[in-house]
Structure formats: C-alpha cells, structure tokens
C-alpha cells in the first residue's frame, strides 16, 4: 500500500527547530522550556518524580493517603496474579488482566521496606512514564498538522503539549496511581499511527484500547471515515456517481485492514483472557458495565433519574435510562464522525470523547482525563484562544458548574444533608448544559479554522 | 419437660435457708436483688408440629434475642451480644424443603422476621476457623418479644391455666432469650434472663415437670483457683425436697466481668461514611497474668457496612486506636444499594488498640459506610445500628479446661472466632441518653416529595443539550458537507486540473 505522506518525509514538515522570531525574542523561562525538548520533558518528569516521592512520604506518615484507592485495587490484583490466582479474586477489580500483569513488579517482595516501597511504586512510575510518552506523541501529532491544516513549528507544538505534560491534574492523577494515563498514551499512539498511515499499528492499538477500556471503540467510525481513498491510497479519484460504486468504493483495502486487525486484536485478547480466567473476566471487565446500578452520585445528568428508577424498577413506565445510550451513541459514533472526522480528525476525536463522557450514564472526574489528552490538538487556533473572553468564560463556567456540583456532593457525602433534590440534580444538569455548550463551540470551530465560513 | 429457675445475687448477698418456705410444689421467699434465669428443656414431641418439623430438619439452630434496653447482669451470666434477633443455623442433611420453611416459621413465632430463605438471606460462617460454630448466621433488629409471647401463649398454654399465660407475659421484662436445638441432645432449650433488679423469690412447678430452684450468689470458696468463679446458695427440687439444701462450687468460666463499661455513638456529622466511636472507661487489661486484647463484635444490618480494604494500613488503624480487622462475614458488596441486597448484613470483629495500660478512658473509632437507601418522603431515612459487644479476649493459661458449666452460653457469633482456650471479659454497654443500646443514623435519601420533575426535567435537559449539539453539527454540514474541507491551495490545485 502506498503511503501518501509518511510523517518524517513530509515536504511540508519542518526539518528541525526553526525558532519563530516572536519566540526567540522572549527570554523568559517558559519559552526556554519549549525551545529544547530536554527541558520540557525533564521538568515534566521531575514534576512527577517529586509527586511520587511526596506520595511515599504522605503514605508513610499520614493516615490520609496520597495513593488512590484504585491503585490498591490494581496492586492487590497483581499480588493475586503473582500467586498464580485470578486478578478477579480482588473485589471491585473491573479491568483487563493485562493491567494486573503490567503491575506484577509491584507485588515483588524483597524483605527490605525501602525496596518494597520502590517496587510498590513501580506502577506509578509506569503511569507517569505513559504520561510523558503521551505528551511526546502529542507533540509529534501537532507537528504533523491537525487535519489538513498547516503543520506547526516545534516550539509551539511543545507549548501545547505542555498543557498535558505540565498539567497538575494529569500529573497528580497518574502519580496517585490511576491508570487513566495509559489510556492517554494509547489514544495518542492510535491517532499518531492513523495520521502516519500506519494502518496495521492503528488496528492493533484500536483493538487493544477497546479491550483495555471499551470506550475507545467510538474512535473506530471516525478513523474509518477519515481514511478515505484520497487520503490513504493516494489517488485523488473523481467521486463515483453510481450508488453501488460508492458503496463498493467505501471498502478500501486500508479500511478493511484496520477493521480486520483491530477486531482480531480485540477478540484475540478476549479469547485469551477468557481461556485463562474464565467467566469472571467477562463479568467484571465487560458485563459489569451493563448490569451495574449506577446509583452513587456522579456528574451524569441521568444520575438522579437512575437512582429513582433502580429503587422502583416497576414504577416508571417510561424508562429514560434504557434509551439514554441513544443520544450518546448517535453523537459520538455517527454524527460527529460523519460531519467532523474528514475535516479534522483530532477535533472529531475530542468532540466524540466529550460527547461520550457528557451524555454517559455515569460520569466521574477520571472521564475528564479522556478528553484532556486531545485538548491540546484542538486548542491552537480555536475560538477559545482567539477570543479570550470566550475562552475564559468557558473555563470559568466549566469549573464553576463543576464546583457547584462538588459543593452539593460534599454536603451530601460528608455532612449528610439530603441534597439529591433539587441541589445535586440541578447542578448535574447545569454542568451537562455547560458541557454541551462547549461541545457545540468545538464542533463549530471546524468551520472557522478551515476558513469556510 | 424440665425446668430450672435460678436467682443469682452479687457477692456478699446471700439468703439464709430459713428465709425460703417450701410447701408442696411452691417455693416462696423475700424480695432479693438478683438476676433471674429460667431454663426450660423440651423434648421434640412436646412442641407444636411446625416447630417439630423445622427442628427435625435442622442440625443446629440457635436463636439469641437480646433486648435493646440496657441491662445489668451478674457473674457468671455475663455473655453479651448486640441487641436484636440473632440466628445461628446449620441445616440437616438433604432437607432443603424444610430449610425453605425456616424463615416463614420464624415469622410465625417471632413476628417481623423478614428473611426469605437461608440461601439468600443468611451469611455463611467460616468452617475452617474453629469447628464449634454453625454454618450460617442471620440477624435482624427486633425490639420486643411481644409476638413470641402471643405465639407461645396460644401454642403452649391450656386455656384454663392462667398462671402459664402470666408467666409468659413476664418475658416482656426479659433482657435476653436463647432458644437452642442440636441433633445430639435432641432437645429444645429455652433460656430467659431478667436483669439485675429487686424481685420476689417465687416459683411453682406443674405436675410432671421437674423444677429445680436455685437461690445463689457469687462466692469465693477457699479452694477456688484464679481462673475460676465461685457460686454458693440454696437448691430445691420442687415437689421432691421439703427444704432447700446448701451448695457451693467453683468452675472455670469462659465469660467474665471486666468491671468497666463502654458507650457507642456515631460521630457527627455522619454523612454517608459514619464513624462509630466506642468510648471505653478503662484501658487496663482485666487480667495481668495472660495476654489480653480488647475486641468489638459488630452486627451491621445491610444498610451499613465496613470496607475490609480500609483496615489494611497500620497508620490509619493506629489513628483510630484499632489493631486489625479480625473477621468480616462474606460476601460484603461494596457498591450495591441496600434495596437490592439479599443477605441480612455483616458481622465484624475488630481488635482494638488501647493507647496505654492505665485505667484511663479512651476511644476507638470504626469507619463504616452507608449504602444508598430507597427514596423516602422528606429526604431522610433512619438506619438502626445495634451497639457492639465489647470484651477483652484473654488466653487462658496452658492446661485450663472449660468443662460444661450450668451457666455456659455458647454460639454467640464471636465465640466461634476464637480458640477454645479464650476467656471473654465483658465490658458493660452503657446507654447514652435514652435507655436503648441502638444508635440511629440519619441517612440522606432522594426526597420523594420532590421527585415529580426528575423524569421530565432530565429528559428535557438531555434533549436540549442534544439538540444544541446536533444544531451545531447541522451548521457545519450545511456549509461544508460531510467531507473534508479543502485548503485554499488545494482548491486552486483542483481548479487547475
């Protein structure tokens, strides 16, 4: 298969680091960080090392732990695996066994408390390293150029990659031991592979990503739609007129390859895991998400309604929760890929993730990380950066509506006040509407930035 | 049927034999401050048929009902349990059908017992731990024996016998009621205990019932060893003895008095993660010669639970004055709301860590979590949590034997979690404020009075958000279609072609 523009040989991609005059004139620390790769990645790495060390100190000295409870779940599961047992022996382990395998070093016991702590932290080091790799891939994709837009110079690319790399929220989440950073690297690698026309690699990553966390399946339609004949086969063919030809024309070799490789990867992993761990693998990794009653309060607009419906399963005639997946999947898997993907793949993926999280039946703050990795690809030239007031308002509204919800949640969780109605419910609806507004602007930006309007 | 009635006074209080008058089948004496225990033993064929059938299908069945009203007791009747209705059960072999009827029979006998079947509602107890425990456990709050009294009157008392009914009515004031059956003894034993209070010594026996009456008090016979308790007093077999005969004996007892108290309260605000604070009056071990450590045995209804994973960090445990979580019944779902829970709840044994060995008051805190409860009018629901049983578990010295003693109480839930050489030194629960040994946690729930807009409001908001996003997508589609947007250079190139 002919590759049109492999990344390294793109005639339009700048060879090395031609510093823009506007930036070289700035002698601030910030611009120095973005000039040389070492300084950015070193500061991102140092940031995480300091957080991991601080976490070790806090865990050893305070009854309130820095380490996330999820990390204890993962490492408990890894310990079960190290003893030859199933990771699902640990209650609430709802992930692929691969995660427990990756964390096997955390189960290593040396007998010395110091080295045990080092081994125990190895999973956090892995997650933090995944952050850095995700940031580096982010920089690569930015340099390649978003969609059909012009590629970006390296220092500017690094500046935007820093939104992820130096983001305190991202660094804290991964050093506390949440595995979401691994998703970041998977998604960014997938996007890089697609844009570099590495179809087989993209298929492998897509299949693995869906096996790992289900939700990356939403990227499949966008990638497939983006991968048209013009883009990937190199032939700028005249659009076929006959319907049948158009349908046949859709099935390009690269699309078929992507579908075959990703499906084989996904099914291969599932069959392997099922053979090793049996029914508990299916129950906890996948079926749990179908059967769970998501009653604990979270950001989802459906939350209050779901609590009500789960308590009175016979009462509600119209079951909103059983059709709730419709707006979510129509947006994330059909409309956004169809309208946005060919124009701007990274923005399409951001909008899909945003729509998926916003319209989901459960939404917790870890979901925000899913779209945060894609944000730096969209932001350059976006109306949020062009119109400062819009950007500030969007950020303020997003933070404030979330803060309002958190305040209501705090009153419920810790003060025991019954804030379910109306406080928590209205706050989640408010947060939902703010998210929808932002999503609308992201989608509308596809026109502005392509200078079509 | 056999019967034993025992009054036990404190050390130093004793009755002269002349104070008791025995006439035929009656025994009368003065008012004494004492604990009263009535123990009745029935053979199976004396029981109503439904009970007969149920027991025949059981291998072991032990009911332990404890009143929520705080009560004082005396040695050796010291074994305590959290208030409520406890059941310890091992089914007989191949008797699934009869086992299915257990819950409905219990409901007939005791009233509001809401279990469905042992398989669904009971939790299994560890079989590997110590062999003297039953296979499964059940608990539910039960404030009074009124339903049981009504049932027993109807089944056991002949219509003509008013004294029978009067005696059963006396159970209203009882502090605990034990019902025990096992296939080895093939008999049903019912034991009722009335608290330490002033009461008349009075007993009478019915024909064909062997009734033994003891008026006893704690004593220290000179031959008594350190690990033993002494008892002395007067014994009379009604209708057989013309006068009481004196007795004195000593025995090793598994349950002893730590001679201190505790109270239990939930720290406020309780929120959704309430902390049960146990305030102990002394941190001085009851026995200095052997290893002792304080424990709390909690019975948690399925609305509230302990997360075993939270008890793994030493610093966290130390900050709460806890040593370790020693036992938690399984399974405990850490996520499910209460309204889908089938098992009754969970039993938890926590070892406490006194900060010093001085007789200072101290507290231990047990972190718990609430499940989501069904929506209710007003936005709040109450969860009743019985106060735990708190005791010092001490190892008896090597070679100590605990032969069956007449006041032994077994199958208490926690006794099966310790080795056979453990002595339980009980700390007396003190009721805070009222007289009840039950705390109520106010749980925030969805307010049913305000729910009318939830379905419509959620649907309208979601549709509004959806419509806005679709509108924006439509805007892009109308201007640029579903394909790629060509850059200016690309457009020019296309025109040239």
């Amino acid at each position: 298969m002919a590759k049109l523009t492999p990344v390294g040989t793109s005639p339009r991609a700048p060879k090395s680091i031609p510093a823009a005059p506007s930036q070289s004139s700035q002698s601030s620390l910030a611009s120095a960080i973005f000039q040389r790769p070492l300084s950015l990645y070193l500061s991102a790495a140092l940031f995480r090392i300091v957080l991991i060390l601080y976490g070790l100190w806090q865990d050893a000295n305070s009854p309130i732990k820095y380490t996330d409870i999820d990390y204890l779940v993962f490492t408990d599961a890894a310990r079960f695996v190290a003893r030859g047992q199933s990771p699902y022996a640990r209650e609430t382990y709802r992930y692929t066994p691969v995660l427990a395998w990756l964390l096997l070093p955390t189960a290593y016991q040396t007998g010395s408390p110091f080295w045990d702590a080092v081994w125990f932290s190895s999973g956090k080091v892995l997650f933090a390293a995944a952050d850095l790799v995700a940031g580096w891939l982010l920089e690569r994709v930015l340099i390649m150029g978003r969609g059909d837009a012009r590629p970006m110079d390296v220092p500017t690319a690094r500046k935007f990659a820093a939104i992820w790399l130096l983001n305190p929220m991202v660094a804290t989440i991964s050093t506390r031991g949440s595995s979401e950073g691994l998703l970041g690297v998977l998604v960014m690698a997938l996007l890089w592979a697609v844009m570099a026309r590495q179809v087989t690699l993209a298929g492998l990553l897509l299949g693995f990503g869906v096996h790992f966390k289900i939700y990356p399946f939403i990227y499949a339609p966008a990638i497939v739609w983006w991968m048209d004949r013009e883009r990937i086969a190199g032939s700028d063919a005249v659009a076929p007129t006959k319907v049948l030809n158009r349908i046949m024309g859709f099935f390009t070799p690269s699309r078929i390859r992507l579908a075959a490789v990703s499906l084989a990867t996904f099914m291969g992993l599932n069959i392997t895991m099922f053979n090793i761990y049996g029914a508990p693998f299916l129950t906890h990794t996948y079926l749990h998400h179908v059967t769970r009653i998501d009653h604990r309060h979270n950001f989802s607009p459906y939350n209050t309604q779901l609590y009500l419906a789960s308590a009175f399963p016979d009462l509600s005639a119209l079951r909103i929760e059983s059709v709730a997946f419709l707006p979510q999947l129509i947006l994330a898997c059909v409309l956004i890929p169809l309208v946005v993907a060919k124009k701007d793949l990274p923005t399409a993926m951001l909008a899909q993730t945003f729509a998926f999280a916003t319209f989901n039946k459960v939404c917790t703050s870890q979901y925000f990380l899913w779209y945060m990795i894609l944000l730096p690809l969209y932001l350059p030239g976006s109306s949020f950066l062009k119109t400062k007031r819009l950007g500030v308002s969007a950020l303020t509204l997003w933070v404030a509506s979330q803060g309002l919800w958190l305040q209501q949640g705090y009153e419920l969780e810790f003060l025991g006040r019954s804030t379910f109605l109306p406080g928590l419910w209205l706050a989640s609806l408010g947060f939902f509407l703010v998210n929808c507004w932002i999503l609308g602007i992201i989608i509308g930006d596809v026109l502005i930035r392509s200078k079509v309007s | 049927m056999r019967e034993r009635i025992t009054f036990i006074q404190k050390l130093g209080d004793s009755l002269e034999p002349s104070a008791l008058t025995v006439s035929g089948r009656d025994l009368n004496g003065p008012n004494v401050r004492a604990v009263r225990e009535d123990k009745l033993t029935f053979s199976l064929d004396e029981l109503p048929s439904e009970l007969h059938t149920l027991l025949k299908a059981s291998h072991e069945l032990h009911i332990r009902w404890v009143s929520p009203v705080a009560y004082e007791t005396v040695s050796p009747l010291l074994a305590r349990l959290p208030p409520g209705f406890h059941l310890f059960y091992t089914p007989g072999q191949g008797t699934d059908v009869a086992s299915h009827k257990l819950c409905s029979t219990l409901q007939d006998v005791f009233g509001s017992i809401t279990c469905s079947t042992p398989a669904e509602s009971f939790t299994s107890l560890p079989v590997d731990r110590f062999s003297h425990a039953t296979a499964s456990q059940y608990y539910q709050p039960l404030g009074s024996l009124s339903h049981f009294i009504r049932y027993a009157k109807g089944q056991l008392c002949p219509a003509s016998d008013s004294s029978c009914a009067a005696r059963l009515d006396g159970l209203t004031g009882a502090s605990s009621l034990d019902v025990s059956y096992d296939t080895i003894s093939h008999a049903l034993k019912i034991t009722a205990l009335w608290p330490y209070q002033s009461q008349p010594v009075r007993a009478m026996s019915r024909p064909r019932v062997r009734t033994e009456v003891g008026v006893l008090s704690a004593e220290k016979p000179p031959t008594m060893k350190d690990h033993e308790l002494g008892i002395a007093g007067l014994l009379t077999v009604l209708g057989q003895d013309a006068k009481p005969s004196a007795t004195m004996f000593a025995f090793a007892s598994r349950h002893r008095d730590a001679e201190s108290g505790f109270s239990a309260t939930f720290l406020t605000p309780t929120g959704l993660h309430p902390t049960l604070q146990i305030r102990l009056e002394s941190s001085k071990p009851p026995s200095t010669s052997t290893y002792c450590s304080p424990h709390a045995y909690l019975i948690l209804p399925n609305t509230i639970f302990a997360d075993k994973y939270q008890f793994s960090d030493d610093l966290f445990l130390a900050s709460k004055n806890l040593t370790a979580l020693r036992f938690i019944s399984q399974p405990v779902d850490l996520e499910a709301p209460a309204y889908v829970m089938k098992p009754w709840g969970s039993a938890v044994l926590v070892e406490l860590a006194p900060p010093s060995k001085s007789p200072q008051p101290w507290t231990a805190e047990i972190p718990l979590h609430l499940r989501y409860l069904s929506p209710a009018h007003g936005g709040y629901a109450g969860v009743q949590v019985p106060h735990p049983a708190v005791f010092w578990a001490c190892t008896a010295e090597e070679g100590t034997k605990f032969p069956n003693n007449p006041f032994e109480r077994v199958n208490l839930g926690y006794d099966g979690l310790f080795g056979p050489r453990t002595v339980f030194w009980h700390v007396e629960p003190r009721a805070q404020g009222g007289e009840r040994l039950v705390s109520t946690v106010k749980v925030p729930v969805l307010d049913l009075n305000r729910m009318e807009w939830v379905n419509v409001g959620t649907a309208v908001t979601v549709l509004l958000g959806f419509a806005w996003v679709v509108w924006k997508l439509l805007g892009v589609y109308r201007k640029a279609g579903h394909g790629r947007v060509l850059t200016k250079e690309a457009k020019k190139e296309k025109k040239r072609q």
Side-chain angles (χ1 to χ4, degrees):
Chain A
M1 164 149 310
K3 287 172 194 163
L4 182 62
T5 47
V7 62
T9 59
S10 165
R12 291 185 298 181
K15 280 278 177 257
S16 85
I17 312 153
S22 63
Q23 260 146 1
S24 59
S25 63
Q26 293 170 9
S27 56
S28 67
L29 175 73
S31 68
I33 285 176
F34 306 125
Q35 287 299 330
R36 267 169 279 126
L38 196 66
S39 44
L40 172 64
Y41 290 97
L42 207 62
S43 36
L46 267 175
F47 187 19
R48 283 159 176 79
I49 289 167
V50 168
L51 284 176
I52 290 175
L53 291 176
Y54 168 76
L56 281 172
W57 178 83
Q58 185 179 324
D59 286 355
N61 289 288
S62 165
I64 298 154
K65 302 298 166 193
Y66 179 80
T67 301
D68 196 275
I69 292 170
D70 282 350
Y71 192 67
L72 303 179
V73 177
F74 306 154
T75 49
D76 280 352
R79 220 164 291 137
F80 279 115
V81 173
R83 278 187 246 133
Q85 288 169 273
S86 159
Y88 302 104
R90 174 57 161 91
E91 280 174 81
T92 71
Y93 183 80
R94 315 237 191 259
Y95 312 85
T96 163
V98 175
L99 183 59
W101 295 355
L102 283 173
L103 297 184
L104 269 177
T106 62
Y108 189 67
Q109 295 280 323
T110 57
S112 126
F114 173 79
W115 287 109
D116 282 356
V118 169
W119 282 111
F120 183 72
S121 304
S122 62
K124 295 178 177 186
V125 175
L126 176 76
F127 298 151
D131 273 2
L132 297 190
V133 177
W136 178 77
L137 286 164
L138 193 57
E139 185 195 310
R140 296 291 100 194
V141 174
L142 278 163
I143 292 167
M144 284 160 85
R146 169 187 5 99
D148 293 320
R150 278 195 299 128
M152 189 180 269
D153 67 278
V154 178
T156 316
R158 282 203 195 108
K159 205 154 83 186
F160 281 101
I163 295 175
W164 169 265
L165 283 167
L166 300 180
N167 190 320
M169 185 175 160
V170 175
T172 314
I173 286 177
S174 57
T175 53
R176 288 187 65 204
S178 169
S179 65
E180 303 304 324
L182 288 181
L183 256 303
V185 77
L186 273 176
V187 170
M188 208 34 67
L190 170 66
L191 181 58
W192 177 86
V194 170
M195 295 186 63
R197 275 71 170 170
Q198 304 280 352
V199 177
T200 309
L201 180 61
L204 285 168
L205 287 164
L206 182 61
F208 182 67
V210 179
H211 168 77
F212 202 89
K213 201 87 194 188
I214 309 176
Y215 90 90
F217 78 90
I218 59 172
Y219 302 133
I223 293 168
V224 166
W225 189 238
W226 179 88
M227 264 183 161
D228 50 26
R229 204 173 283 277
E230 298 172 45
R231 224 171 223 126
I232 213 141
S235 64
D236 203 346
V238 183
T241 42
K242 279 190 183 156
V243 175
L244 189 67
N245 284 356
R246 288 180 75 159
I247 291 171
M248 290 309 288
F250 177 81
F251 293 99
T252 63
S254 31
R255 276 172 172 156
I256 292 167
R257 180 134 60 102
L258 180 84
V261 173
S262 59
L263 200 68
T265 311
F266 177 65
M267 288 317 292
L269 283 166
N270 288 344
I271 290 165
T272 310
M273 298 307 163
F274 185 78
N275 276 333
I276 304 176
Y277 298 114
F281 157 68
L282 282 184
T283 316
H284 294 289
T285 317
Y286 299 122
L287 299 181
H288 163 75
H289 298 281
V290 183
T291 56
R292 70 196 282 194
I293 304 167
D294 300 302
H295 61 288
R296 288 258 161 196
H297 50 282
N298 60 68
F299 292 113
S300 168
Y302 298 111
N303 182 247
T304 312
Q305 210 277 325
L306 285 175
Y307 176 13
L308 203 58
S310 72
F312 306 108
D314 316 319
L315 205 81
S316 45
L318 176 77
R319 303 187 63 84
I320 296 184
E321 72 275 10
S322 55
V323 290
F325 68 93
L326 277 175
Q328 180 190 29
L329 294 188
I330 288 173
L331 285 179
C333 298
V334 182
L335 295 182
I336 295 172
L338 189 73
V339 177
V340 186
K342 287 202 184 192
K343 301 178 179 72
D344 183 346
L345 184 60
T347 300
M349 285 170 65
L350 170 70
Q352 285 179 288
T353 321
F354 213 94
F356 188 85
T358 303
F359 285 81
N360 201 22
K361 289 203 281 188
V362 203
C363 181
T364 59
S365 45
Q366 62 164 9
Y367 290 43
F368 304 157
L369 222 59
W370 295 358
Y371 52 76
M372 202 160 287
I373 180 73
L374 294 156
L375 200 63
L377 296 172
Y378 151 78
L379 277 180
S382 68
S383 40
F384 291 119
L385 287 193
K386 273 187 181 160
T387 321
K388 285 273 154 26
R389 207 201 284 166
L390 183 71
V392 171
S393 325
L395 188 65
T396 312
L397 271 174
W398 191 75
V399 171
S401 57
Q402 201 183 131
L404 195 69
W405 187 96
L406 288 170
Q407 190 268 334
Q408 294 292 308
Y410 171 80
E411 291 211 354
L412 170 69
E413 187 106 35
F414 296 102
L415 306 184
R417 280 197 49 215
S418 181
T419 56
F420 288 109
L421 282 174
L424 206 61
W425 179 59
L426 289 180
S428 68
L429 293 186
F431 184 58
F432 168 80
L433 289 176
V434 168
N435 277 305
C436 287
W437 175 65
I438 294 174
L439 178 58
I441 292 174
I442 294 173
I443 289 167
D445 270 6
V446 178
L447 283 181
I448 296 168
R449 288 185 306 173
S450 310
K451 296 191 177 66
V452 175
S453 58
Chain B
M1 180 179 160
R2 279 177 294 134
E3 187 175 10
R4 193 186 78 193
I5 300 169
T6 316
F7 297 86
I8 302 182
Q9 297 168 277
K10 283 190 178 170
L11 184 72
D13 295 345
S14 59
L15 223 54
E16 289 301 313
S18 59
L20 298 180
T21 23
V22 183
S23 56
R25 298 191 155 272
D26 289 355
L27 180 141
N28 282 290
N31 268 20
V32 291
R33 280 192 77 78
V35 167
R36 174 175 170 155
E37 185 202 65
D38 287 12
K39 189 169 204 158
L40 283 75
T41 309
F42 296 88
S43 66
L44 279 189
D45 44 19
E46 290 172 299
L47 297 170
S49 64
E50 53 176 343
L51 282 185
H52 187 121
T53 324
L54 177 72
L55 293 177
K56 282 207 107 163
S58 309
H59 184 70
E60 271 190 82
L61 185 142
H62 308 284
I63 290 164
R64 303 283 178 261
W65 176 83
V66 180
S67 163
V69 179
Y71 67 94
E72 190 186 347
T73 180
V74 297
S75 176
L77 300 170
L78 289 162
R80 283 181 184 270
L81 265 173
F85 176 91
H86 305 258
L87 175 67
F88 301 95
Y89 177 64
T90 307
Q93 270 166 355
T95 52
D96 281 354
V97 182
S99 182
H100 254 78
K101 286 202 178 128
L102 176 60
C103 286
S104 59
T105 310
L106 288 173
Q107 196 173 8
D108 290 345
V109 179
F110 285 93
S112 52
I113 303 297
T114 52
C115 65
S116 52
T117 63
E120 271 196 345
S121 311
F122 293 17
T123 51
S124 23
L125 287 168
V127 282
D128 52 328
R129 201 133 167 165
F130 296 107
S131 56
H132 52 275
T134 55
S136 61
Q137 179 175 17
Y138 177 78
Y139 168 84
Q140 101 166 59
L142 186 69
S144 90
L145 288 175
S146 55
H147 194 283
F148 173 78
I149 295 169
R150 263 203 310 282
Y151 173 87
K153 275 190 207 166
Q155 295 286 336
L156 299 175
C157 293
S160 56
D161 190 352
S162 65
S163 68
C164 173
R167 226 180 135 191
L168 281 165
D169 277 329
L171 280 174
T172 312
S175 294
S176 77
L177 180 79
D178 289 6
V179 180
S180 278
Y181 171 82
D182 62 71
T183 37
I184 296 157
S185 67
H186 229 72
L188 184 75
K189 294 194 187 94
I190 300 181
T191 311
L193 180 82
W194 285 266
Y196 185 72
Q197 61 192 356
S198 178
Q199 54 188 316
V201 175
R202 190 174 298 154
M204 68 178 236
S205 79
R206 282 180 292 141
R208 293 191 310 280
V209 177
R210 186 185 192 271
T211 305
E212 185 186 25
V213 183
V215 184
L216 310 171
S217 57
E219 193 57 69
K220 282 185 175 161
T223 53
M224 190 174 91
K225 297 187 190 77
D226 263 355
H227 66 275
E228 288 181 328
L229 290 174
I231 284 284
L234 306 165
L235 290 181
T236 316
V237 179
L238 296 184
Q240 187 182 317
D241 300 345
K243 61 180 174 62
S245 48
T247 183
M248 181 184 288
F249 56 101
F251 55 91
S253 176
R254 235 186 275 275
H255 297 281
R256 307 196 58 170
D257 190 356
E259 289 169 7
S260 79
F262 79 92
S263 57
T265 42
F266 280 99
L267 297 179
T268 50
T270 43
L272 293 178
H273 309 280
T275 299
L276 182 70
Q277 187 183 62
I278 300 172
R279 183 175 289 276
L280 290 103
E281 287 164 10
S282 167
S283 50
K284 188 170 160 281
S287 159
T288 44
S289 54
T290 54
Y291 175 75
C292 289
S293 147
H295 288 75
Y297 179 69
L298 287 87
I299 289 289
L300 302 171
N302 64 18
T303 44
I304 190 166
F305 64 95
D307 175 2
K308 66 174 173 183
Y309 298 106
Q310 213 181 352
F311 290 80
S312 53
D313 180 65
D314 289 339
L315 273 173
F316 177 80
L317 289 171
S319 74
K320 309 261 178 221
N321 282 340
L322 306 176
T323 304
L325 179 75
R326 291 296 179 212
F327 169 76
I328 182 162
S329 58
Q330 292 295 323
V332 180
D333 192 305
L334 302 176
E335 294 157 328
Y339 43 85
V340 302
M341 290 297 292
K342 291 272 164 41
W344 64 269
S346 52
V348 175
L349 180 70
V350 185
E351 185 176 344
L352 313 178
S356 71
K357 287 201 170 183
S358 64
Q360 291 289 319
W362 59 289
T363 60
E365 286 165 8
I366 298 173
L368 299 170
H369 307 274
L370 286 166
R371 294 185 191 286
Y372 270 35
L373 308 184
S374 276
H377 292 283
Y380 294 95
V383 163
Q384 306 264 312
V385 184
H387 289 184
V390 176
F391 50 82
W392 291 76
C394 305
T395 34
E397 272 162 68
E398 201 71 46
T400 309
K401 290 257 168 29
F402 293 101
N404 274 344
N405 80 60
F407 305 105
E408 181 89 332
R409 202 176 174 202
V410 290
N411 286 299
L412 303 164
Y414 54 83
D415 55 347
L417 305 173
F418 289 90
R421 279 201 304 117
T422 309
V423 179
F424 303 97
W425 296 76
H426 292 272
V427 183
E428 189 180 334
R430 312 244 195 254
Q432 292 285 87
E435 278 181 288
R436 286 164 58 80
L437 297 173
V438 174
S439 297
T440 305
V441 187
K442 190 176 162 193
V443 186
V445 297
L446 198 147
D447 187 355
L448 278 180
N449 298 339
R450 302 182 185 198
M451 60 154 274
E452 52 184 341
W453 291 102
V454 169
N455 281 327
V456 176
T458 306
V460 168
T461 309
V462 170
L463 282 177
L464 216 70
F466 179 69
W468 160 254
V469 179
V470 170
W471 173 252
K472 295 294 281 188
L473 281 163
L474 207 66
V476 175
Y477 182 78
R478 278 215 309 259
K479 284 192 175 124
H482 61 257
R484 61 204 296 193
V485 175
L486 297 173
T487 53
K488 278 176 189 164
E489 300 94 79
K491 271 184 190 163
K492 274 181 205 158
E493 219 167 281
K494 248 194 168 172
K495 273 182 194 164
R496 249 184 276 135
Q497 280 172 355

